[in-house]
Amino acid sequence: MIELVADPMSVPFRNLRFLIVDDDTDQRYLLASTLHRMGMVNVVEASSGRAALDVLSRDGERVDIVISDLQMPDVDGMELVRRIGERSLPVSVILASALDGVLLASAATMTQAYGVRIIGTIEKPLTREKLFTVLKHYLPQQSVVESSLDKAFPLEPEQVLAGISAGQFEPFFQPIVELTTGRVVGAEALARWRHPAYGLLGPETFLPPLTSAGYLDELSWIMLAQAALEAGRWRAGGLHLSVSVNVSATSLADPSYADAVTQIVSGQGLEPTEMVLELTETEAVGNVAAALENLTRLRMKGFGLAIDDYGVGYSSMQELSRMPFTEVKIDRSFVMAATGSEKHRMMIAHTVEVARLLGLKTIAEGVETRAERDLLASLGCDMIQGFLIAEPMEGQEFLRWMMARRANILPSPAQSPAPQKLFGT
């Protein structure tokens, strides 16, 4: 009989249901025994990826975390991940393998690319300490409910445009913190859709149909106007922060774009220096000359310019060399992999060094743990954003959060010992 050992560290995970996927009977037994001794009693096993999919497909068979080997006959761990993504199954995944860290990191990146939530990777042999370290990355499914809803149904561009016309879109704000001081220096405006039937929806619902139909401009203008409106309210309340807003690359082809943006921002009593416009690296810029003219005009007026999702596109260095950016945002896939991959650490270090030489600030996205924050600080990254600081919040909620933080009701990330999300909504 397996002895259950009370361990206060395991309390947040005891009600979770685990699925162990490994073709090796001994490995499954050892992992199941370890989980039981940690206090996790809801553990099921599968001897292959195919058997795991059968478990995950059963009605009423809830699984929170899948711990899967990579190398298995028939349906291996990578195919299992792909099928989980294709079926939009609401589970989180831990990849465990005797393969080296580089291959594990690649598999983790692949998992994220398939839209599957990856908690982390473990190099075998699995131990209690390794499991706890990875489990600290886990967020309950309600924290990622948007991504689950996002894939639940297809939407046509006309439906999304109708939602925009009805005023159902609004920005949520995620704080950006300076690493050396722990001070909140800005916030990114992230689009959310308050759908009358489906509730709050994230960008995976509405961005694909808008992008494919060429209507991304409509949402971009709405987010800019609403973010400027909220920032104006904050400013009137004595809160001076920069606000980052995503820009559609197609908007930059319009020669009047820079003047129109300036008019919107100044109309809310803001200075251009209080706004940062983010251009996604993976979104192609069609008319390069017009884009350069607009971006140069915006910089001359004082706007900040950020290259978003840096490192996941095809022309990072070229974009940095020809566009007048002021900030580089490091994609969260690199952040997530860096604590366990020397290759990803080197890539972040290289990005930080290049940005420093070019006089640019660096912001790491998707920071969820103290270990990630400490690593980024050691590599010289300037700023971070992510669940470690706070989830995205409505404008008024963000203002209350900032006021509470200023009153020292909330600790700074540098002071808090908690490895998980420090400030919530």
Side-chain angles (χ1 to χ4, degrees), residues 16-17 56-58 61-66 83-93 115-117 138-142 144-149 151-152:
L16 300 179
R17 187 169 177 83
L56 294 169
S57 300
R58 294 174 194 160
E61 187 77 28
R62 177 181 64 85
V63 172
D64 298 296
I65 298 177
V66 176
R83 294 194 182 186
I84 288 174
E86 290 170 348
R87 299 182 186 185
S88 301
L89 299 176
V91 299
S92 299
V93 171
V116 179
R117 178 164 178 78
Y138 177 75
L139 291 173
Q141 284 302 321
Q142 57 263 34
V144 292
V145 67
E146 290 171 3
S147 62
S148 300
L149 284 171
K151 300 177 182 178

PDB file of all heavy atoms in Angstrom, residues 16-17 56-58 61-66 83-93 115-117 138-142 144-149 151-152:
ATOM      1  N   LEU A  16      -6.374  18.142  -8.294  1.00  0.00           N
ATOM      2  CA  LEU A  16      -6.194  18.017  -9.739  1.00  0.00           C
ATOM      3  C   LEU A  16      -6.219  16.551 -10.155  1.00  0.00           C
ATOM      4  O   LEU A  16      -5.858  15.654  -9.385  1.00  0.00           O
ATOM      5  CB  LEU A  16      -4.870  18.652 -10.164  1.00  0.00           C
ATOM      6  CG  LEU A  16      -4.693  20.139  -9.875  1.00  0.00           C
ATOM      7  CD1 LEU A  16      -3.326  20.604 -10.341  1.00  0.00           C
ATOM      8  CD2 LEU A  16      -5.789  20.961 -10.541  1.00  0.00           C
ATOM      9  N   ARG A  17      -6.627  16.313 -11.374  1.00  0.00           N
ATOM     10  CA  ARG A  17      -6.653  14.944 -11.913  1.00  0.00           C
ATOM     11  C   ARG A  17      -5.535  14.822 -12.948  1.00  0.00           C
ATOM     12  O   ARG A  17      -5.476  15.584 -13.924  1.00  0.00           O
ATOM     13  CB  ARG A  17      -8.004  14.645 -12.547  1.00  0.00           C
ATOM     14  CG  ARG A  17      -8.177  13.195 -12.994  1.00  0.00           C
ATOM     15  CD  ARG A  17      -9.635  12.927 -13.358  1.00  0.00           C
ATOM     16  NE  ARG A  17      -9.840  11.582 -13.856  1.00  0.00           N
ATOM     17  CZ  ARG A  17     -10.010  10.501 -13.098  1.00  0.00           C
ATOM     18  NH1 ARG A  17      -9.988  10.643 -11.777  1.00  0.00           N
ATOM     19  NH2 ARG A  17     -10.208   9.310 -13.628  1.00  0.00           N
ATOM     20  N   LEU A  56      -9.151  10.869 -22.615  1.00  0.00           N
ATOM     21  CA  LEU A  56      -9.519  12.272 -22.716  1.00  0.00           C
ATOM     22  C   LEU A  56     -10.836  12.492 -23.450  1.00  0.00           C
ATOM     23  O   LEU A  56     -11.469  13.535 -23.301  1.00  0.00           O
ATOM     24  CB  LEU A  56      -8.402  13.047 -23.440  1.00  0.00           C
ATOM     25  CG  LEU A  56      -7.068  13.139 -22.688  1.00  0.00           C
ATOM     26  CD1 LEU A  56      -5.980  13.695 -23.610  1.00  0.00           C
ATOM     27  CD2 LEU A  56      -7.206  14.010 -21.456  1.00  0.00           C
ATOM     28  N   SER A  57     -11.254  11.505 -24.235  1.00  0.00           N
ATOM     29  CA  SER A  57     -12.482  11.642 -25.025  1.00  0.00           C
ATOM     30  C   SER A  57     -13.714  11.139 -24.294  1.00  0.00           C
ATOM     31  O   SER A  57     -14.840  11.326 -24.769  1.00  0.00           O
ATOM     32  CB  SER A  57     -12.342  10.882 -26.353  1.00  0.00           C
ATOM     33  OG  SER A  57     -11.265  11.390 -27.107  1.00  0.00           O
ATOM     34  N   ARG A  58     -13.538  10.475 -23.155  1.00  0.00           N
ATOM     35  CA  ARG A  58     -14.693   9.941 -22.425  1.00  0.00           C
ATOM     36  C   ARG A  58     -15.518  11.055 -21.815  1.00  0.00           C
ATOM     37  O   ARG A  58     -14.972  11.996 -21.247  1.00  0.00           O
ATOM     38  CB  ARG A  58     -14.222   8.998 -21.314  1.00  0.00           C
ATOM     39  CG  ARG A  58     -13.558   7.727 -21.798  1.00  0.00           C
ATOM     40  CD  ARG A  58     -13.018   6.952 -20.613  1.00  0.00           C
ATOM     41  NE  ARG A  58     -12.103   5.900 -21.030  1.00  0.00           N
ATOM     42  CZ  ARG A  58     -11.210   5.328 -20.230  1.00  0.00           C
ATOM     43  NH1 ARG A  58     -11.121   5.715 -18.967  1.00  0.00           N
ATOM     44  NH2 ARG A  58     -10.418   4.388 -20.686  1.00  0.00           N
ATOM     45  N   GLU A  61     -14.979  12.451 -18.065  1.00  0.00           N
ATOM     46  CA  GLU A  61     -13.629  12.081 -17.627  1.00  0.00           C
ATOM     47  C   GLU A  61     -12.766  13.340 -17.594  1.00  0.00           C
ATOM     48  O   GLU A  61     -12.098  13.676 -18.573  1.00  0.00           O
ATOM     49  CB  GLU A  61     -13.029  11.048 -18.576  1.00  0.00           C
ATOM     50  CG  GLU A  61     -11.694  10.471 -18.097  1.00  0.00           C
ATOM     51  CD  GLU A  61     -11.868   9.433 -16.993  1.00  0.00           C
ATOM     52  OE1 GLU A  61     -12.920   8.785 -16.946  1.00  0.00           O
ATOM     53  OE2 GLU A  61     -10.941   9.280 -16.185  1.00  0.00           O
ATOM     54  N   ARG A  62     -12.787  14.046 -16.492  1.00  0.00           N
ATOM     55  CA  ARG A  62     -12.014  15.289 -16.377  1.00  0.00           C
ATOM     56  C   ARG A  62     -10.547  14.976 -16.147  1.00  0.00           C
ATOM     57  O   ARG A  62     -10.192  14.171 -15.300  1.00  0.00           O
ATOM     58  CB  ARG A  62     -12.539  16.134 -15.210  1.00  0.00           C
ATOM     59  CG  ARG A  62     -11.739  17.410 -14.971  1.00  0.00           C
ATOM     60  CD  ARG A  62     -12.294  18.175 -13.785  1.00  0.00           C
ATOM     61  NE  ARG A  62     -12.167  17.458 -12.540  1.00  0.00           N
ATOM     62  CZ  ARG A  62     -11.071  17.473 -11.767  1.00  0.00           C
ATOM     63  NH1 ARG A  62     -10.013  18.167 -12.150  1.00  0.00           N
ATOM     64  NH2 ARG A  62     -11.031  16.798 -10.644  1.00  0.00           N
ATOM     65  N   VAL A  63      -9.692  15.640 -16.913  1.00  0.00           N
ATOM     66  CA  VAL A  63      -8.238  15.568 -16.717  1.00  0.00           C
ATOM     67  C   VAL A  63      -7.700  16.992 -16.703  1.00  0.00           C
ATOM     68  O   VAL A  63      -8.018  17.785 -17.598  1.00  0.00           O
ATOM     69  CB  VAL A  63      -7.541  14.749 -17.830  1.00  0.00           C
ATOM     70  CG1 VAL A  63      -6.024  14.859 -17.705  1.00  0.00           C
ATOM     71  CG2 VAL A  63      -7.972  13.288 -17.769  1.00  0.00           C
ATOM     72  N   ASP A  64      -6.924  17.323 -15.683  1.00  0.00           N
ATOM     73  CA  ASP A  64      -6.346  18.665 -15.591  1.00  0.00           C
ATOM     74  C   ASP A  64      -4.951  18.717 -16.202  1.00  0.00           C
ATOM     75  O   ASP A  64      -4.617  19.648 -16.935  1.00  0.00           O
ATOM     76  CB  ASP A  64      -6.277  19.110 -14.122  1.00  0.00           C
ATOM     77  CG  ASP A  64      -7.650  19.189 -13.482  1.00  0.00           C
ATOM     78  OD1 ASP A  64      -8.448  20.021 -13.933  1.00  0.00           O
ATOM     79  OD2 ASP A  64      -7.917  18.412 -12.549  1.00  0.00           O
ATOM     80  N   ILE A  65      -4.118  17.708 -15.872  1.00  0.00           N
ATOM     81  CA  ILE A  65      -2.719  17.725 -16.310  1.00  0.00           C
ATOM     82  C   ILE A  65      -2.345  16.380 -16.920  1.00  0.00           C
ATOM     83  O   ILE A  65      -2.555  15.329 -16.309  1.00  0.00           O
ATOM     84  CB  ILE A  65      -1.778  18.043 -15.131  1.00  0.00           C
ATOM     85  CG1 ILE A  65      -2.072  19.439 -14.578  1.00  0.00           C
ATOM     86  CG2 ILE A  65      -0.315  17.943 -15.555  1.00  0.00           C
ATOM     87  CD1 ILE A  65      -1.245  19.809 -13.364  1.00  0.00           C
ATOM     88  N   VAL A  66      -1.798  16.427 -18.127  1.00  0.00           N
ATOM     89  CA  VAL A  66      -1.267  15.238 -18.788  1.00  0.00           C
ATOM     90  C   VAL A  66       0.249  15.264 -18.666  1.00  0.00           C
ATOM     91  O   VAL A  66       0.889  16.247 -19.040  1.00  0.00           O
ATOM     92  CB  VAL A  66      -1.665  15.214 -20.283  1.00  0.00           C
ATOM     93  CG1 VAL A  66      -1.015  14.019 -20.981  1.00  0.00           C
ATOM     94  CG2 VAL A  66      -3.179  15.165 -20.430  1.00  0.00           C
ATOM     95  N   ARG A  83      -2.898  16.154 -31.450  1.00  0.00           N
ATOM     96  CA  ARG A  83      -4.318  15.788 -31.442  1.00  0.00           C
ATOM     97  C   ARG A  83      -5.060  16.502 -30.309  1.00  0.00           C
ATOM     98  O   ARG A  83      -6.240  16.842 -30.459  1.00  0.00           O
ATOM     99  CB  ARG A  83      -4.469  14.275 -31.319  1.00  0.00           C
ATOM    100  CG  ARG A  83      -3.928  13.527 -32.536  1.00  0.00           C
ATOM    101  CD  ARG A  83      -4.394  12.098 -32.551  1.00  0.00           C
ATOM    102  NE  ARG A  83      -3.862  11.361 -33.679  1.00  0.00           N
ATOM    103  CZ  ARG A  83      -4.211  10.115 -33.989  1.00  0.00           C
ATOM    104  NH1 ARG A  83      -5.117   9.492 -33.237  1.00  0.00           N
ATOM    105  NH2 ARG A  83      -3.686   9.506 -35.024  1.00  0.00           N
ATOM    106  N   ILE A  84      -4.407  16.738 -29.200  1.00  0.00           N
ATOM    107  CA  ILE A  84      -5.009  17.524 -28.121  1.00  0.00           C
ATOM    108  C   ILE A  84      -5.312  18.932 -28.631  1.00  0.00           C
ATOM    109  O   ILE A  84      -6.382  19.493 -28.375  1.00  0.00           O
ATOM    110  CB  ILE A  84      -4.087  17.576 -26.888  1.00  0.00           C
ATOM    111  CG1 ILE A  84      -4.068  16.212 -26.183  1.00  0.00           C
ATOM    112  CG2 ILE A  84      -4.529  18.666 -25.904  1.00  0.00           C
ATOM    113  CD1 ILE A  84      -3.065  16.123 -25.042  1.00  0.00           C
ATOM    114  N   GLY A  85      -4.353  19.501 -29.381  1.00  0.00           N
ATOM    115  CA  GLY A  85      -4.555  20.829 -29.945  1.00  0.00           C
ATOM    116  C   GLY A  85      -5.665  20.847 -30.979  1.00  0.00           C
ATOM    117  O   GLY A  85      -6.488  21.761 -31.001  1.00  0.00           O
ATOM    118  N   GLU A  86      -5.707  19.836 -31.843  1.00  0.00           N
ATOM    119  CA  GLU A  86      -6.737  19.778 -32.881  1.00  0.00           C
ATOM    120  C   GLU A  86      -8.133  19.663 -32.290  1.00  0.00           C
ATOM    121  O   GLU A  86      -9.096  20.204 -32.827  1.00  0.00           O
ATOM    122  CB  GLU A  86      -6.465  18.594 -33.810  1.00  0.00           C
ATOM    123  CG  GLU A  86      -5.246  18.768 -34.698  1.00  0.00           C
ATOM    124  CD  GLU A  86      -4.874  17.497 -35.431  1.00  0.00           C
ATOM    125  OE1 GLU A  86      -5.409  16.414 -35.089  1.00  0.00           O
ATOM    126  OE2 GLU A  86      -4.033  17.575 -36.353  1.00  0.00           O
ATOM    127  N   ARG A  87      -8.222  18.975 -31.163  1.00  0.00           N
ATOM    128  CA  ARG A  87      -9.534  18.778 -30.521  1.00  0.00           C
ATOM    129  C   ARG A  87      -9.841  19.865 -29.487  1.00  0.00           C
ATOM    130  O   ARG A  87     -10.884  19.832 -28.853  1.00  0.00           O
ATOM    131  CB  ARG A  87      -9.578  17.399 -29.848  1.00  0.00           C
ATOM    132  CG  ARG A  87      -9.386  16.247 -30.815  1.00  0.00           C
ATOM    133  CD  ARG A  87      -9.475  14.902 -30.116  1.00  0.00           C
ATOM    134  NE  ARG A  87      -9.141  13.801 -31.012  1.00  0.00           N
ATOM    135  CZ  ARG A  87      -9.224  12.515 -30.686  1.00  0.00           C
ATOM    136  NH1 ARG A  87      -9.646  12.174 -29.469  1.00  0.00           N
ATOM    137  NH2 ARG A  87      -8.900  11.578 -31.544  1.00  0.00           N
ATOM    138  N   SER A  88      -8.894  20.788 -29.289  1.00  0.00           N
ATOM    139  CA  SER A  88      -9.066  21.882 -28.318  1.00  0.00           C
ATOM    140  C   SER A  88      -9.434  21.343 -26.934  1.00  0.00           C
ATOM    141  O   SER A  88     -10.309  21.876 -26.257  1.00  0.00           O
ATOM    142  CB  SER A  88     -10.138  22.868 -28.798  1.00  0.00           C
ATOM    143  OG  SER A  88      -9.796  23.413 -30.043  1.00  0.00           O
ATOM    144  N   LEU A  89      -8.752  20.283 -26.513  1.00  0.00           N
ATOM    145  CA  LEU A  89      -9.034  19.696 -25.208  1.00  0.00           C
ATOM    146  C   LEU A  89      -8.480  20.595 -24.101  1.00  0.00           C
ATOM    147  O   LEU A  89      -7.322  21.011 -24.163  1.00  0.00           O
ATOM    148  CB  LEU A  89      -8.410  18.298 -25.113  1.00  0.00           C
ATOM    149  CG  LEU A  89      -8.940  17.284 -26.139  1.00  0.00           C
ATOM    150  CD1 LEU A  89      -8.191  15.971 -26.031  1.00  0.00           C
ATOM    151  CD2 LEU A  89     -10.440  17.055 -25.939  1.00  0.00           C
ATOM    152  N   PRO A  90      -9.277  20.893 -23.084  1.00  0.00           N
ATOM    153  CA  PRO A  90      -8.863  21.854 -22.041  1.00  0.00           C
ATOM    154  C   PRO A  90      -7.970  21.225 -20.985  1.00  0.00           C
ATOM    155  O   PRO A  90      -8.345  21.102 -19.809  1.00  0.00           O
ATOM    156  CB  PRO A  90     -10.206  22.307 -21.454  1.00  0.00           C
ATOM    157  CG  PRO A  90     -11.083  21.103 -21.591  1.00  0.00           C
ATOM    158  CD  PRO A  90     -10.670  20.439 -22.888  1.00  0.00           C
ATOM    159  N   VAL A  91      -6.781  20.795 -21.378  1.00  0.00           N
ATOM    160  CA  VAL A  91      -5.831  20.203 -20.437  1.00  0.00           C
ATOM    161  C   VAL A  91      -4.500  20.958 -20.516  1.00  0.00           C
ATOM    162  O   VAL A  91      -4.217  21.650 -21.494  1.00  0.00           O
ATOM    163  CB  VAL A  91      -5.590  18.704 -20.740  1.00  0.00           C
ATOM    164  CG1 VAL A  91      -6.880  17.909 -20.618  1.00  0.00           C
ATOM    165  CG2 VAL A  91      -4.966  18.518 -22.125  1.00  0.00           C
ATOM    166  N   SER A  92      -3.701  20.798 -19.466  1.00  0.00           N
ATOM    167  CA  SER A  92      -2.335  21.304 -19.474  1.00  0.00           C
ATOM    168  C   SER A  92      -1.388  20.115 -19.591  1.00  0.00           C
ATOM    169  O   SER A  92      -1.730  18.997 -19.190  1.00  0.00           O
ATOM    170  CB  SER A  92      -2.043  22.080 -18.186  1.00  0.00           C
ATOM    171  OG  SER A  92      -2.907  23.195 -18.070  1.00  0.00           O
ATOM    172  N   VAL A  93      -0.206  20.355 -20.149  1.00  0.00           N
ATOM    173  CA  VAL A  93       0.705  19.254 -20.470  1.00  0.00           C
ATOM    174  C   VAL A  93       2.072  19.475 -19.838  1.00  0.00           C
ATOM    175  O   VAL A  93       2.601  20.587 -19.834  1.00  0.00           O
ATOM    176  CB  VAL A  93       0.855  19.106 -22.001  1.00  0.00           C
ATOM    177  CG1 VAL A  93       1.957  18.115 -22.358  1.00  0.00           C
ATOM    178  CG2 VAL A  93      -0.469  18.682 -22.631  1.00  0.00           C
ATOM    179  N   GLY A 115      -1.292  25.300 -29.764  1.00  0.00           N
ATOM    180  CA  GLY A 115      -2.339  25.886 -28.942  1.00  0.00           C
ATOM    181  C   GLY A 115      -2.624  25.121 -27.679  1.00  0.00           C
ATOM    182  O   GLY A 115      -3.685  25.284 -27.067  1.00  0.00           O
ATOM    183  N   VAL A 116      -1.692  24.273 -27.253  1.00  0.00           N
ATOM    184  CA  VAL A 116      -1.852  23.477 -26.036  1.00  0.00           C
ATOM    185  C   VAL A 116      -1.062  24.130 -24.908  1.00  0.00           C
ATOM    186  O   VAL A 116       0.098  24.512 -25.108  1.00  0.00           O
ATOM    187  CB  VAL A 116      -1.357  22.023 -26.257  1.00  0.00           C
ATOM    188  CG1 VAL A 116      -1.500  21.207 -24.982  1.00  0.00           C
ATOM    189  CG2 VAL A 116      -2.133  21.377 -27.397  1.00  0.00           C
ATOM    190  N   ARG A 117      -1.668  24.230 -23.730  1.00  0.00           N
ATOM    191  CA  ARG A 117      -0.976  24.857 -22.608  1.00  0.00           C
ATOM    192  C   ARG A 117       0.112  23.928 -22.096  1.00  0.00           C
ATOM    193  O   ARG A 117      -0.162  22.817 -21.658  1.00  0.00           O
ATOM    194  CB  ARG A 117      -1.944  25.207 -21.483  1.00  0.00           C
ATOM    195  CG  ARG A 117      -1.211  25.814 -20.301  1.00  0.00           C
ATOM    196  CD  ARG A 117      -2.144  26.522 -19.351  1.00  0.00           C
ATOM    197  NE  ARG A 117      -1.421  27.041 -18.222  1.00  0.00           N
ATOM    198  CZ  ARG A 117      -0.686  28.146 -18.237  1.00  0.00           C
ATOM    199  NH1 ARG A 117      -0.601  28.850 -19.342  1.00  0.00           N
ATOM    200  NH2 ARG A 117      -0.051  28.558 -17.171  1.00  0.00           N
ATOM    201  N   TYR A 138       1.689  25.887 -13.063  1.00  0.00           N
ATOM    202  CA  TYR A 138       0.304  25.574 -13.395  1.00  0.00           C
ATOM    203  C   TYR A 138      -0.638  26.685 -12.969  1.00  0.00           C
ATOM    204  O   TYR A 138      -0.538  27.215 -11.861  1.00  0.00           O
ATOM    205  CB  TYR A 138      -0.124  24.268 -12.729  1.00  0.00           C
ATOM    206  CG  TYR A 138      -1.572  23.914 -12.978  1.00  0.00           C
ATOM    207  CD1 TYR A 138      -1.975  23.413 -14.212  1.00  0.00           C
ATOM    208  CD2 TYR A 138      -2.536  24.094 -11.991  1.00  0.00           C
ATOM    209  CE1 TYR A 138      -3.296  23.093 -14.458  1.00  0.00           C
ATOM    210  CE2 TYR A 138      -3.867  23.778 -12.234  1.00  0.00           C
ATOM    211  CZ  TYR A 138      -4.237  23.275 -13.465  1.00  0.00           C
ATOM    212  OH  TYR A 138      -5.548  22.974 -13.715  1.00  0.00           O
ATOM    213  N   LEU A 139      -1.559  27.039 -13.870  1.00  0.00           N
ATOM    214  CA  LEU A 139      -2.656  27.958 -13.560  1.00  0.00           C
ATOM    215  C   LEU A 139      -3.957  27.215 -13.779  1.00  0.00           C
ATOM    216  O   LEU A 139      -4.093  26.479 -14.759  1.00  0.00           O
ATOM    217  CB  LEU A 139      -2.610  29.196 -14.458  1.00  0.00           C
ATOM    218  CG  LEU A 139      -1.456  30.156 -14.210  1.00  0.00           C
ATOM    219  CD1 LEU A 139      -1.471  31.230 -15.286  1.00  0.00           C
ATOM    220  CD2 LEU A 139      -1.554  30.790 -12.839  1.00  0.00           C
ATOM    221  N   PRO A 140      -4.931  27.370 -12.865  1.00  0.00           N
ATOM    222  CA  PRO A 140      -6.219  26.692 -13.034  1.00  0.00           C
ATOM    223  C   PRO A 140      -6.850  27.032 -14.377  1.00  0.00           C
ATOM    224  O   PRO A 140      -6.588  28.076 -14.959  1.00  0.00           O
ATOM    225  CB  PRO A 140      -7.065  27.231 -11.877  1.00  0.00           C
ATOM    226  CG  PRO A 140      -6.069  27.691 -10.861  1.00  0.00           C
ATOM    227  CD  PRO A 140      -4.887  28.183 -11.653  1.00  0.00           C
ATOM    228  N   GLN A 141      -7.695  26.158 -14.838  1.00  0.00           N
ATOM    229  CA  GLN A 141      -8.295  26.355 -16.157  1.00  0.00           C
ATOM    230  C   GLN A 141      -9.095  27.636 -16.265  1.00  0.00           C
ATOM    231  O   GLN A 141      -9.209  28.205 -17.329  1.00  0.00           O
ATOM    232  CB  GLN A 141      -9.201  25.161 -16.506  1.00  0.00           C
ATOM    233  CG  GLN A 141      -8.414  23.926 -16.912  1.00  0.00           C
ATOM    234  CD  GLN A 141      -7.510  24.159 -18.093  1.00  0.00           C
ATOM    235  OE1 GLN A 141      -7.867  24.851 -19.038  1.00  0.00           O
ATOM    236  NE2 GLN A 141      -6.327  23.580 -18.069  1.00  0.00           N
ATOM    237  N   GLN A 142      -9.667  28.145 -15.139  1.00  0.00           N
ATOM    238  CA  GLN A 142     -10.404  29.390 -15.253  1.00  0.00           C
ATOM    239  C   GLN A 142      -9.487  30.544 -15.635  1.00  0.00           C
ATOM    240  O   GLN A 142      -9.930  31.554 -16.162  1.00  0.00           O
ATOM    241  CB  GLN A 142     -11.141  29.740 -13.949  1.00  0.00           C
ATOM    242  CG  GLN A 142     -10.250  29.835 -12.727  1.00  0.00           C
ATOM    243  CD  GLN A 142     -10.257  28.552 -11.932  1.00  0.00           C
ATOM    244  OE1 GLN A 142     -10.362  27.470 -12.516  1.00  0.00           O
ATOM    245  NE2 GLN A 142     -10.168  28.653 -10.622  1.00  0.00           N
ATOM    246  N   VAL A 144      -7.231  30.356 -17.869  1.00  0.00           N
ATOM    247  CA  VAL A 144      -7.016  30.292 -19.309  1.00  0.00           C
ATOM    248  C   VAL A 144      -8.323  29.996 -20.036  1.00  0.00           C
ATOM    249  O   VAL A 144      -8.337  29.478 -21.126  1.00  0.00           O
ATOM    250  CB  VAL A 144      -5.948  29.214 -19.669  1.00  0.00           C
ATOM    251  CG1 VAL A 144      -4.598  29.635 -19.176  1.00  0.00           C
ATOM    252  CG2 VAL A 144      -6.323  27.847 -19.086  1.00  0.00           C
ATOM    253  N   VAL A 145      -9.446  30.357 -19.382  1.00  0.00           N
ATOM    254  CA  VAL A 145     -10.740  30.050 -19.965  1.00  0.00           C
ATOM    255  C   VAL A 145     -10.926  30.723 -21.310  1.00  0.00           C
ATOM    256  O   VAL A 145     -11.577  30.188 -22.194  1.00  0.00           O
ATOM    257  CB  VAL A 145     -11.870  30.432 -18.993  1.00  0.00           C
ATOM    258  CG1 VAL A 145     -11.950  31.951 -18.804  1.00  0.00           C
ATOM    259  CG2 VAL A 145     -13.220  29.921 -19.511  1.00  0.00           C
ATOM    260  N   GLU A 146     -10.299  31.885 -21.503  1.00  0.00           N
ATOM    261  CA  GLU A 146     -10.464  32.571 -22.777  1.00  0.00           C
ATOM    262  C   GLU A 146      -9.955  31.721 -23.925  1.00  0.00           C
ATOM    263  O   GLU A 146     -10.586  31.601 -24.953  1.00  0.00           O
ATOM    264  CB  GLU A 146      -9.716  33.907 -22.758  1.00  0.00           C
ATOM    265  CG  GLU A 146     -10.366  34.927 -21.840  1.00  0.00           C
ATOM    266  CD  GLU A 146      -9.494  36.146 -21.668  1.00  0.00           C
ATOM    267  OE1 GLU A 146      -8.438  36.201 -22.310  1.00  0.00           O
ATOM    268  OE2 GLU A 146      -9.860  37.039 -20.907  1.00  0.00           O
ATOM    269  N   SER A 147      -8.768  31.104 -23.739  1.00  0.00           N
ATOM    270  CA  SER A 147      -8.200  30.321 -24.833  1.00  0.00           C
ATOM    271  C   SER A 147      -9.056  29.102 -25.132  1.00  0.00           C
ATOM    272  O   SER A 147      -9.102  28.637 -26.255  1.00  0.00           O
ATOM    273  CB  SER A 147      -6.767  29.904 -24.495  1.00  0.00           C
ATOM    274  OG  SER A 147      -6.760  29.074 -23.354  1.00  0.00           O
ATOM    275  N   SER A 148      -9.751  28.533 -24.095  1.00  0.00           N
ATOM    276  CA  SER A 148     -10.626  27.404 -24.334  1.00  0.00           C
ATOM    277  C   SER A 148     -11.866  27.837 -25.100  1.00  0.00           C
ATOM    278  O   SER A 148     -12.310  27.174 -26.029  1.00  0.00           O
ATOM    279  CB  SER A 148     -11.032  26.777 -22.993  1.00  0.00           C
ATOM    280  OG  SER A 148      -9.902  26.328 -22.294  1.00  0.00           O
ATOM    281  N   LEU A 149     -12.436  28.974 -24.706  1.00  0.00           N
ATOM    282  CA  LEU A 149     -13.614  29.478 -25.394  1.00  0.00           C
ATOM    283  C   LEU A 149     -13.285  29.895 -26.817  1.00  0.00           C
ATOM    284  O   LEU A 149     -14.102  29.755 -27.724  1.00  0.00           O
ATOM    285  CB  LEU A 149     -14.187  30.681 -24.642  1.00  0.00           C
ATOM    286  CG  LEU A 149     -14.968  30.381 -23.364  1.00  0.00           C
ATOM    287  CD1 LEU A 149     -15.273  31.676 -22.645  1.00  0.00           C
ATOM    288  CD2 LEU A 149     -16.253  29.631 -23.665  1.00  0.00           C
ATOM    289  N   LYS A 151     -11.588  28.637 -29.068  1.00  0.00           N
ATOM    290  CA  LYS A 151     -11.581  27.623 -30.112  1.00  0.00           C
ATOM    291  C   LYS A 151     -12.886  26.835 -30.148  1.00  0.00           C
ATOM    292  O   LYS A 151     -13.006  25.859 -30.860  1.00  0.00           O
ATOM    293  CB  LYS A 151     -10.406  26.662 -29.864  1.00  0.00           C
ATOM    294  CG  LYS A 151      -9.064  27.376 -29.885  1.00  0.00           C
ATOM    295  CD  LYS A 151      -7.949  26.409 -29.555  1.00  0.00           C
ATOM    296  CE  LYS A 151      -6.596  27.102 -29.530  1.00  0.00           C
ATOM    297  NZ  LYS A 151      -5.511  26.199 -29.170  1.00  0.00           N
ATOM    298  N   ALA A 152     -13.865  27.258 -29.317  1.00  0.00           N
ATOM    299  CA  ALA A 152     -15.076  26.464 -29.183  1.00  0.00           C
ATOM    300  C   ALA A 152     -16.002  26.609 -30.385  1.00  0.00           C
ATOM    301  O   ALA A 152     -16.855  25.768 -30.611  1.00  0.00           O
ATOM    302  CB  ALA A 152     -15.817  26.857 -27.908  1.00  0.00           C
TER     303      ALA A 152
END
